[in-house]
Amino acid sequence: MSPATNPKRPRRPRLTGDDRTGLREVCLASGVRWQVLAVADAEPSGQVVALPSHIAHGSGRDWDLLGWHVIDHGSWNPDTDTLELELHPGGRKKVRLHNPGLIAEVMTERVQASIVFQRYLEVPDTHSGLTVSARRNLADQTLSWQAVPGRGLRWNDPDVQAFADAAVRRLRREFG
């Protein structure tokens, strides 16, 4: 019995027709390598596609590309079928997926692949810290440095911002 006729086995999402053509054109225009690693159907419409350097969300000729290096944290909730991405610098993207396939696994691997260096530093006079990392843009191989605050830290606190800026400068020098 084939997967298409087996009622117990869900259909594996595929990128076809206008979606395939549209995403390919967006990738070519943006200089993003065209290679599909995983596909999931998004609700209420569209698809999520994992590429080597980006995750894409959309349909037809309307696609958003998001580099793996700007995702601070990603999570998959199987109870709600929700992919949630925390973005740098701030921001969040939530997408409900139907037949998520390998999206969560590829997301974990690609985000990890973008991390070149990472160090957790405690912020003085707080009960928290921040993570300083060097992230590689997997499309053009450029490095960007960033500090991600831990729970309870406020970016609008000038002491936290000064500590983060100094830590990034110091670690960037040390790393070379």
Side-chain angles (χ1 to χ4, degrees):
M1 184 177 285
S2 73
T5 60
N6 184 348
K8 294 181 182 177
R9 186 171 178 189
R11 178 186 69 82
R12 187 174 145 210
R14 294 183 52 192
L15 189 62
T16 59
D18 288 341
D19 289 341
R20 183 175 186 79
T21 301
L23 179 56
R24 184 180 184 114
E25 289 174 2
V26 168
C27 287
L28 291 173
S30 302
V32 171
R33 182 172 153 217
W34 170 252
Q35 180 186 1
V36 175
L37 303 177
V39 178
D41 294 326
E43 294 181 9
S45 64
Q47 292 186 304
V48 171
V49 180
L51 304 163
S53 62
H54 289 73
I55 188 167
H57 177 227
S59 65
R61 299 205 185 305
D62 185 24
W63 291 89
D64 291 324
L65 294 174
L66 191 62
W68 296 113
H69 64 285
V70 299
I71 299 173
D72 287 338
H73 177 75
S75 62
W76 167 250
N77 184 330
D79 296 330
T80 62
D81 293 332
T82 303
L83 179 71
E84 186 169 341
L85 307 174
E86 293 181 29
L87 310 175
H88 187 83
R92 182 171 275 173
K93 184 171 182 82
K94 280 186 177 183
V95 181
R96 192 148 189 258
L97 302 179
H98 178 69
N99 294 331
L102 295 174
I103 290 290
E105 290 88 347
V106 172
M107 174 191 64
T108 300
E109 187 277 329
R110 294 282 75 201
V111 169
Q112 286 295 331
S114 75
I115 300 171
V116 175
F117 171 87
Q118 191 169 51
R119 184 172 296 160
Y120 179 81
L121 301 169
E122 290 187 23
V123 177
D125 302 322
T126 72
H127 296 290
S128 190
L130 51 83
T131 301
V132 176
S133 59
R135 302 286 299 272
R136 184 174 312 282
N137 179 328
L138 298 175
D140 65 13
Q141 303 302 307
T142 57
L143 278 182
S144 61
W145 286 80
Q146 59 196 35
V148 177
R151 292 182 188 250
L153 290 182
R154 295 179 323 225
W155 269 125
N156 59 354
D157 180 331
D159 293 333
V160 171
Q161 190 64 53
F163 180 82
D165 291 344
V168 167
R169 281 193 307 276
R170 181 175 51 86
L171 291 172
R172 191 176 190 163
R173 271 194 317 273
E174 287 177 16
F175 187 77

